[in-house]
Amino acid sequence: MKKYHILLLAFMLLALTGCSATEAIRDTGVFSREKVLPKKEIELVALGDSLTVGVGDEKDAGGYVGRLAKEMPEKMDGVEKVNITQTAKKGRRSDQLLTQLKSGEINDALKKADIITMTIGGNDLMKILRENFTTLERQHFDRERPNYEKRYIEIFKLIRAQNQTAPIIAVGVYNPLTVYAEDTSEFEKILDEWNQDMKNIVEKDAYAIFVPTVDLFHTNRAEVYSDDYFHPNAKGYTNMKNRIFETLDTVSVYKKSNGRMKMKGETVNE
């Protein structure tokens, strides 16, 4: 990618914002569609950045997390109510999420979690843009990519140290620059690579799913961005919520006699 192209992308991102660019509930039977299960309250722990906070949601409905929690009792057997523990923060990067996890401050919440949602990565990309603004080239992203991958792996390890089987819904990053520029192909390639790294890590965990979002925010023809043209608006967050449910529907799940859930390609002896 030519330097002036990537500098243009950097300028637009920096001008837009000062912050961030399963069904396997442990022993609860939540999300089973095979049997009608006793209703119970479940605990959802939300991790990550401004997308998990719900920044840009003009309806103040809690972004995708609030919408997900509201609809789970309607869509999922065994769910009476969803209690949200919101631990995300606007502008948070993967290294800062690691610091939060290492501190132990949310260990109790993670241990009690029946489901975990997470968005992370957008602010890591923004940090690269800020630190290399005047000399930005593809190599700056390539150099940081393996470091981000290592942090993402460690994030999963730290979560699993507290809770081995709660489903983790890991949401990918998207490209807001398509709102302003037709040719963002090189930046999209970078995002695809980072998303693929995350997906590869997620798919190694039998109780996690990766939720892609790139196509949901391609241009603003569908009017999915908030006034900052960076974060989703209410419609954008609704689309994210719908994509999560759609992704959950692709997972092979059923209720076992011992109350555990099957996920992905797990072999189960009845």
Side-chain angles (χ1 to χ4, degrees):
M1 182 182 190
K2 293 182 179 179
K3 184 182 294 186
Y4 72 88
H5 279 161
I6 207 163
L7 282 174
L8 175 61
L9 300 184
F11 175 77
M12 288 188 291
L13 272 180
L14 293 172
L16 289 175
T17 178
C19 60
S20 75
T22 78
E23 298 197 52
I25 301 302
R26 63 175 195 282
D27 299 333
T28 64
V30 173
F31 293 167
S32 172
R33 292 174 174 79
E34 299 297 323
K35 299 179 181 179
V36 176
L37 303 167
K39 296 284 187 178
K40 66 165 290 183
E41 293 188 13
I42 69 168
E43 303 297 324
L44 185 155
V45 175
L47 304 174
D49 54 29
S50 58
L51 296 183
T52 292
V53 172
V55 173
D57 183 358
E58 75 276 14
K59 294 188 177 181
D60 293 326
Y64 80 89
V65 173
R67 288 167 171 79
L68 189 68
K70 181 180 179 180
E71 290 193 22
M72 280 174 61
E74 302 170 11
K75 294 179 179 291
M76 302 297 182
D77 289 339
V79 181
E80 180 178 23
K81 179 183 177 182
V82 180
N83 301 316
I84 300 172
T85 299
Q86 177 59 266
T87 73
K89 183 178 180 180
K90 181 178 179 180
R92 179 167 284 155
R93 302 185 307 268
S94 62
D95 60 316
Q96 295 168 326
L97 177 54
L98 277 176
T99 298
Q100 182 188 40
L101 291 168
K102 289 177 180 178
S103 73
E105 66 183 56
I106 60 173
N107 281 359
D108 288 344
L110 289 173
K111 288 174 182 176
K112 296 176 183 177
D114 294 304
I115 188 166
I116 298 164
T117 65
M118 179 173 71
T119 57
I120 203 72
N123 293 302
D124 293 78
L125 291 164
M126 284 295 295
K127 185 172 185 287
I128 297 171
L129 291 170
R130 290 191 184 99
E131 291 181 348
N132 303 282
F133 181 66
T134 59
T135 59
L136 191 63
E137 294 180 352
R138 170 64 186 256
Q139 63 180 344
H140 293 115
F141 295 95
D142 292 342
R143 186 181 304 125
E144 181 57 24
R145 180 182 164 193
N147 297 325
Y148 177 75
E149 184 178 14
K150 290 178 182 177
R151 291 192 294 271
Y152 203 77
I153 291 171
E154 189 173 1
I155 285 168
F156 261 74
K157 287 182 177 178
L158 290 171
I159 293 172
R160 288 306 182 210
Q162 302 303 321
N163 192 319
Q164 295 183 3
T165 57
I168 300 174
I169 298 174
V171 181
V173 294
Y174 61 85
N175 179 13
L177 295 178
T178 57
V179 174
Y180 292 95
E182 293 183 3
D183 183 13
T184 62
S185 56
E186 188 66 18
F187 191 63
E188 287 179 0
K189 290 178 182 177
I190 292 169
L191 291 181
D192 286 344
E193 291 167 356
W194 285 51
N195 275 319
Q196 188 61 52
D197 288 341
M198 288 187 276
K199 183 179 179 182
N200 291 342
I201 294 166
V202 170
E203 290 184 342
K204 292 179 181 178
D205 187 306
Y207 298 94
I209 59 169
F210 180 79
V211 181
T213 59
V214 171
D215 60 308
L216 300 180
F217 298 97
H218 187 74
T219 78
N220 200 31
R221 295 192 186 107
E223 298 180 347
V224 292
Y225 284 98
S226 63
D227 291 341
D228 65 10
Y229 290 100
F230 190 88
H231 295 95
N233 59 12
K235 183 175 181 180
Y237 282 118
T238 296
N239 290 346
M240 289 177 68
K241 175 264 297 178
N242 290 339
R243 174 59 55 82
I244 289 172
F245 278 124
E246 291 167 3
T247 306
L248 287 170
D249 282 338
T250 68
V251 180
S252 176
V253 182
Y254 64 87
K255 175 80 163 48
K256 288 176 55 181
S257 58
N258 66 1
R260 233 176 122 257
M261 304 296 299
K262 180 189 174 199
M263 229 182 128
K264 296 184 178 175
E266 183 183 7
T267 301
V268 177
N269 295 320
E270 292 289 358

